[in-house]
Amino acid sequence: MSTPTSTSGESEPGHAAPGTTVLGADDIARALTRIAHEVVERNKGVDDVVLLGIPTRGLPLARRLAQRLEQVEHVPAADLVGSLDVTMHRDDLAHQPTRTIGETYVPGDGIDGRVVVLVDDVLYSGRTIRAALDAISDLGRPRAVQLAVLVDRGHRELPIRADYVGKNLPTASAERVRVLLSETDGEDRVVIEGGAR
């Protein structure tokens, strides 16, 4: 999910990623372009859309989506994208109490009456997204909340489904999905580690 220690298999900064590469830089770019067009089509433009990236890697993905939406809809990317820290809403704080609290900021006039698109790197159990929904309720009352993820790896523990998916990636529970982005890791790749491939 969106924290380096999560079991979704997100990569940690500064660590090489062995394993099987399932998405390269071009694949990631194409997936984000497709998601951007789907957001425009579904919402009939982006006038009321706010992208909230979930740190760590959801935030640069949200910024990239905003840049693509700017090209298509001619709305400044800065007016579309914000950050949503979910740390204090997580249900595993008792097990990992030393998490760093990140920044939450919302562009423009807030989220009331708007369509919030949560952006994250990997959708796994659904617990980070549940925490994000709780965090959103502290900020206001959006008209709708949608979810965009680069990778959906399955194994849901909560009834949560993504509206926009870059790649559905069936995985074994023992496998780890690592998303590497140039902003945080110096390269763009999605890697599966562990298990038998």
Side-chain angles (χ1 to χ4, degrees), residues 84 89-90 129-139:
L84 182 67
H89 295 276
R90 295 187 63 92
I129 303 308
R130 183 211 55 81
L133 294 172
D134 287 349
I136 284 174
S137 69
D138 290 344
L139 300 176

Side-chain angles (χ1 to χ4, degrees), residues 112-164:
D112 286 340
R114 302 181 75 184
V115 176
V116 171
V117 180
L118 292 171
V119 183
D120 206 2
D121 57 349
V122 178
L123 179 56
Y124 182 33
S125 68
R127 293 185 180 276
T128 295
I129 303 308
R130 183 211 55 81
L133 294 172
D134 287 349
I136 284 174
S137 69
D138 290 344
L139 300 176
R141 188 163 189 237
R143 185 173 82 242
V145 179
Q146 300 169 2
L147 174 60
V149 297
L150 181 60
V151 174
D152 184 345
R153 64 164 294 186
H155 304 283
R156 212 77 73 245
E157 296 172 6
L158 297 171
I160 289 173
R161 176 185 60 82
D163 299 278
Y164 313 103

Side-chain angles (χ1 to χ4, degrees), residues 5-186:
T5 55
S6 76
T7 55
S8 72
E10 181 191 340
S11 59
E12 297 175 22
H15 288 74
T20 303
T21 298
V22 291
L23 292 176
D26 290 344
D27 301 314
I28 292 172
R30 279 191 296 270
L32 291 175
T33 298
R34 179 172 44 77
I35 289 172
H37 284 282
E38 290 173 359
V39 168
V40 171
E41 183 177 343
R42 178 167 180 169
N43 295 292
K44 298 178 176 56
V46 294
D47 291 341
D48 294 326
V49 171
V50 177
L51 305 175
L52 292 184
I54 301 174
T56 302
R57 287 164 184 78
L59 183 52
L61 290 172
R63 288 178 177 144
R64 292 188 195 186
L65 279 174
Q67 290 167 355
R68 284 162 170 80
L69 292 171
E70 180 179 57
Q71 294 168 356
V72 174
E73 292 291 299
H74 310 293
V75 175
D79 294 346
L80 294 172
V81 67
S83 177
L84 182 67
D85 180 68
V86 303
T87 303
M88 298 311 296
H89 295 276
R90 295 187 63 92
D91 61 7
D92 59 356
L93 284 177
H95 304 290
Q96 299 177 348
T98 57
R99 291 181 183 271
T100 302
I101 296 175
E103 181 183 9
T104 291
Y105 65 90
V106 178
D109 299 323
I111 64 170
D112 286 340
R114 302 181 75 184
V115 176
V116 171
V117 180
L118 292 171
V119 183
D120 206 2
D121 57 349
V122 178
L123 179 56
Y124 182 33
S125 68
R127 293 185 180 276
T128 295
I129 303 308
R130 183 211 55 81
L133 294 172
D134 287 349
I136 284 174
S137 69
D138 290 344
L139 300 176
R141 188 163 189 237
R143 185 173 82 242
V145 179
Q146 300 169 2
L147 174 60
V149 297
L150 181 60
V151 174
D152 184 345
R153 64 164 294 186
H155 304 283
R156 212 77 73 245
E157 296 172 6
L158 297 171
I160 289 173
R161 176 185 60 82
D163 299 278
Y164 313 103
V165 178
K167 173 82 171 170
N168 284 295
L169 191 60
T171 59
S173 297
E175 291 176 320
R176 180 179 171 99
V177 175
R178 299 182 70 186
V179 172
L180 292 91
L181 299 175
S182 57
E183 295 91 335
T184 53
D185 310 287

